[in-house]
Amino acid sequence: MQMDTAQYQKYHEEKCHTPADFPYNTYLCTIPLDFQAVSTHWHDEIELIAVKKGEGWVDVNLKRHAVTAGDIVLVLSGQLHAIAQKGCAVMEYETILFRPELLAAENDACYARFLQPFFAETQEIAPVLTPECRNYPAISALLERIDTLCDARPYGYPLAVKPACGGLAYGVHKVNSKEELRDAIRDA
């Protein structure tokens, strides 16, 4: 379904999710305990939704996806998304948000060559990563590392969170790259 620019702009969430000095944040939420649903919206941050317990629905670009414990959903900057309860199920999930510029530096060839096109959706992206995905263990381990750092917040923890977010971007990029898909087909 296509929508015009004016209609799309109505869904823009104005809330700033991340502080200016370190554009990263995380929230732990439960549906329906914290709220019944998260209505359709978009924002400038990249969002990862890591389902910790239960099951529910996550819509990405107006496509509904059933998710269960262990699934990780990728929502790129500007993508419409929503979260809803599935029947009577309870879903606990962690939302990880960061601005794309967290991973960019001036004259950054890696950002320009790999991340900017990926974040701009110049290729089709599989939004739901399940434990069966080829790179899932590495992505899941990075999420755990980030959680541990953010829970403890030792002095200088952003120095470790930033490259871990880069590792997440690499892992998700690798899952969605044509080369990785080609290699997976060749190895099958």
Side-chain angles (χ1 to χ4, degrees), residues 3-68:
M3 75 173 57
D4 64 47
T5 304
Q7 186 180 15
Y8 171 76
Q9 285 300 328
K10 289 179 185 177
Y11 292 102
H12 187 204
E13 184 178 63
E14 298 293 336
K15 176 183 178 184
C16 183
H17 292 282
T18 62
D21 62 341
F22 184 56
Y24 172 89
N25 206 349
T26 184
Y27 307 101
L28 190 58
C29 303
T30 304
I31 287 182
L33 303 177
D34 293 321
F35 29 78
Q36 290 298 117
V38 177
S39 61
T40 301
H41 67 286
W42 67 271
H43 42 70
D44 296 326
E45 294 88 4
I46 293 162
E47 183 171 337
L48 291 167
I49 301 163
V51 182
K52 301 294 188 180
K53 296 178 186 173
E55 62 180 335
W57 298 108
V58 178
D59 300 348
V60 179
N61 277 345
L62 305 176
K63 284 186 175 178
R64 178 150 280 193
H65 303 275
V67 294
T68 62

Side-chain angles (χ1 to χ4, degrees), residues 164-182:
C165 287
L168 287 174
Y170 171 74
V172 172
H173 184 276
K174 191 170 180 178
V175 166
N176 283 285
S177 75
K178 290 178 183 167
E179 291 78 14
E180 180 75 7
L181 294 174
R182 183 192 66 227

Side-chain angles (χ1 to χ4, degrees), residues 72 129-142 167-176 180:
I72 301 166
L129 306 174
T130 65
E132 292 77 31
C133 286
R134 191 169 158 151
N135 219 28
Y136 182 90
I139 294 167
S140 181
L142 282 165
L168 287 174
Y170 171 74
V172 172
H173 184 276
K174 191 170 180 178
V175 166
N176 283 285
E180 180 75 7

Side-chain angles (χ1 to χ4, degrees), residues 46-128:
I46 293 162
E47 183 171 337
L48 291 167
I49 301 163
V51 182
K52 301 294 188 180
K53 296 178 186 173
E55 62 180 335
W57 298 108
V58 178
D59 300 348
V60 179
N61 277 345
L62 305 176
K63 284 186 175 178
R64 178 150 280 193
H65 303 275
V67 294
T68 62
D71 291 350
I72 301 166
V73 182
L74 171 67
V75 181
L76 296 175
S77 176
Q79 286 186 320
L80 289 167
H81 58 287
I83 305 170
Q85 186 175 15
K86 184 177 183 183
C88 296
V90 173
M91 181 172 73
E92 182 179 306
Y93 62 96
E94 179 181 19
T95 298
I96 298 108
L97 296 140
F98 63 92
R99 296 184 65 79
E101 51 270 20
L102 174 69
L103 303 177
E106 192 172 334
N107 300 317
D108 187 342
C110 289
Y111 186 82
R113 182 172 176 199
F114 301 108
L115 294 177
Q116 194 170 30
F118 180 72
F119 292 155
E121 291 185 88
T122 57
Q123 67 186 51
E124 189 169 325
I125 306 290
V128 180

